[in-house]
Amino acid sequence: RKEVEQDPGPFNVPEGATVAFNCTYSNSASQSFFWYRQDCRKEPKLLMSVYSSGNEDGRFTAQLNRASQYISLLIRDSKLSDSATYLCVVIVNTGFQKLVFGTGTRLLVSP
Amino acid sequence: DAGVIQSPRHEVTEMGQEVTLRCKPISGHDYLFWYRQTMMRGLELLIYFNNNVPIDDSGMPEDRFSAKMPNASFSTLKIQPSEPRDSAVYFCASSLRANYGYTFGSGTRLTVV
């Protein structure tokens, strides 16, 4: 089983729609989680951290469900500029802490 | 700050040739990471350094791959000999910590024909 799994999509939504992505992780001991955004042919960039209590940054809301071992990203009022691939990231401790990336969920927002 | 700088941006080489990818991390960042990205496998960590010392190289695919960090401002990833299955985008990232705030370079798109 992969350490981090995501639905590759694509998710096709119209402007203004609300869209949500989930990501599951296999290591129950994982402590920290992030969402990164990657535009086509660009490098990944940190979008937001995911806190246990859930957190919001403008139109973006991240939540963590430890019992079911998944994290989610909700995007409200989606914009054309939100079109990108969203990477779920989990910190894995194998003696050394390191970030493990999911393969990403592609979002396409259309006019 | 100029960010993480990688070179070259694109590399096309023939199978069997040696390829060297270069990375200059952000000044002051103690951690440097090399990732490889493909459509099938996503972003895979190859190796990372802390204070120029390799810490975890469990992701290096095989002996054909080697990485060095001779000083705090420079790292190389070498593939010798290269094979078509090495074709991918190779990203370098640096960070103040191992578990947060990675800044990625623009990547090197490698094509081995």
Side-chain angles (χ1 to χ4, degrees):
Chain A
R1 184 183 170 186
K2 288 182 180 178
E3 289 176 298
V4 181
E5 295 202 62
Q6 295 183 252
D7 180 343
F11 284 57
N12 290 287
V13 302
E15 258 186 303
T18 295
V19 61
F21 314 130
N22 282 345
C23 160
T24 58
Y25 59 95
S26 60
N27 189 335
S28 60
S30 298
Q31 293 295 315
S32 300
F33 310 88
F34 307 92
W35 284 101
Y36 274 67
R37 170 191 169 131
Q38 185 173 24
D39 292 295
C40 187
R41 303 182 80 85
K42 298 285 189 181
E43 71 273 21
K45 293 183 179 179
L46 177 64
L47 178 66
M48 60 195 302
S49 303
V50 185
Y51 302 126
S52 297
S53 55
N55 49 299
E56 191 173 304
D57 183 2
R59 298 181 292 108
F60 297 82
T61 300
Q63 291 194 314
L64 167 64
N65 185 319
R66 288 192 185 275
S68 301
Q69 292 182 212
Y70 77 82
I71 67 174
S72 64
L73 178 67
L74 181 79
I75 305 175
R76 290 181 299 278
D77 187 23
S78 52
K79 312 291 185 190
L80 296 176
S81 57
D82 294 334
S83 297
T85 296
Y86 291 84
L87 304 168
C88 172
V89 184
V90 175
I91 288 186
V92 172
N93 192 333
T94 57
F96 312 106
Q97 287 194 327
K98 60 185 180 185
L99 269 60
V100 177
F101 287 76
T103 51
T105 297
R106 191 170 173 210
L107 172 65
L108 300 172
V109 182
S110 54
Chain B
D1 197 320
V4 176
I5 300 172
Q6 290 186 248
S7 64
R9 289 296 303 273
H10 302 274
E11 176 81 32
V12 181
T13 191
E14 291 186 345
M15 182 172 63
Q17 296 297 307
E18 177 179 295
V19 175
T20 299
L21 310 182
R22 297 172 175 81
C23 175
K24 175 179 168 56
I26 291 174
S27 177
H29 281 190
D30 293 332
Y31 290 86
L32 183 140
F33 308 84
W34 282 101
Y35 280 86
R36 176 172 68 177
Q37 187 173 37
T38 60
M39 287 292 292
M40 291 299 295
R41 301 171 69 94
L43 268 167
E44 301 174 282
L45 178 64
L46 301 177
I47 185 171
Y48 83 87
F49 296 84
N50 177 215
N51 291 323
N52 313 337
V53 176
I55 301 299
D56 181 0
D57 65 354
S58 59
M60 294 287 262
E62 50 199 88
D63 292 345
R64 297 185 298 107
F65 285 68
S66 62
K68 294 182 179 179
M69 192 165 185
N71 56 62
S73 59
F74 185 65
S75 177
T76 60
L77 178 67
K78 187 175 294 187
I79 308 172
Q80 166 63 21
S82 58
E83 296 182 3
R85 61 193 169 119
D86 300 330
S87 297
V89 180
Y90 290 80
F91 286 104
C92 175
S94 71
S95 176
L96 285 170
R97 294 155 48 183
N99 57 6
Y100 189 80
Y102 290 19
T103 300
F104 283 80
S106 300
T108 295
R109 186 171 296 273
L110 174 65
T111 303
V112 183
V113 297

